């Protein structure tokens, strides 16, 4: 990480990295699977992406913050909307995704599957 320009760039991308549950590391410590971001011709920072299952936990936590209360406290319609958003983001392609979401919403797996099926029929 170099000068003040790099520091401003890093500060600008930090909210995005935090939202996805990533970790920022110096470019010279980047692993092959990390994403190195360049700014003004030089490598500024490397982003270590989370495992998919960890991303789902971060997405659920962010949704809770946005709603201002635990997802389990939402009404049925709001829970259905959460399931719709999560499906669009690929949450149910993650191993144990349905179970993780059901637990966060305080409903059964069967209910999550019902919400998903209801969307496909609409």
């Amino acid at each position: 990480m170099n000068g003040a320009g790099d520091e401003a760039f890093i500060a600008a991308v930090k909210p995005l990295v935090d939202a996805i549950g990533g970790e920022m590391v110096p470019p010279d410590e980047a692993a092959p699977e990390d994403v190195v971001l360049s700014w003004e011709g030089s490598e500024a920072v490397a982003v270590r992406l989370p495992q998919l299952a960890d991303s789902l936990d971060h997405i659920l936590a962010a949704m809770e913050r946005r709603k201002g209360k635990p997802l389990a406290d939402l009404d049925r319609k709001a829970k259905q909307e959460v399931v719709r958003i999560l499906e669009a983001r690929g949450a149910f392609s993650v191993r144990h995704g349905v179970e993780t979401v059901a637990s966060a919403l305080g409903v059964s797996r069967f209910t999550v599957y019902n919400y998903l099926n209801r969307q496909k029929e609409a």
Side-chain angles (χ1 to χ4, degrees):
M1 296 184 216
N2 300 338
D6 284 356
E7 295 303 320
F9 174 74
I10 291 166
V13 298
K14 185 175 183 337
L16 174 62
V17 173
D18 290 346
I20 63 170
E23 175 187 356
M24 295 194 297
V25 297
D28 59 348
E29 295 177 20
E33 64 274 7
D34 294 339
V35 179
V36 178
L37 303 177
S38 295
W39 181 249
E40 296 180 346
S42 67
E43 293 180 342
V45 67
V47 178
R48 185 155 298 149
L49 300 172
Q51 298 298 312
L52 284 175
D54 294 337
S55 292
L56 180 53
D57 290 338
H58 278 67
I59 291 167
L60 289 166
M63 292 182 93
E64 256 186 14
R65 284 192 303 276
R66 229 174 283 131
K67 299 287 186 186
K69 60 181 168 181
L71 297 178
D73 292 348
L74 299 175
D75 63 24
R76 184 176 52 86
K77 185 174 181 177
K79 288 178 182 181
Q80 289 172 334
E81 176 69 9
V82 166
V83 168
R84 185 192 65 73
I85 292 167
L86 291 171
E87 183 185 30
R89 294 188 70 179
F92 302 110
S93 63
V94 175
R95 185 172 183 199
H96 302 297
V98 171
E99 292 85 349
T100 301
V101 171
S103 177
L105 292 175
V107 299
S108 68
R109 288 177 32 229
F110 180 75
T111 298
V112 172
Y113 284 118
N114 278 342
Y115 291 169
L116 289 167
N117 288 335
R118 199 164 288 153
Q119 284 171 211
K120 290 176 182 152
E121 293 168 2

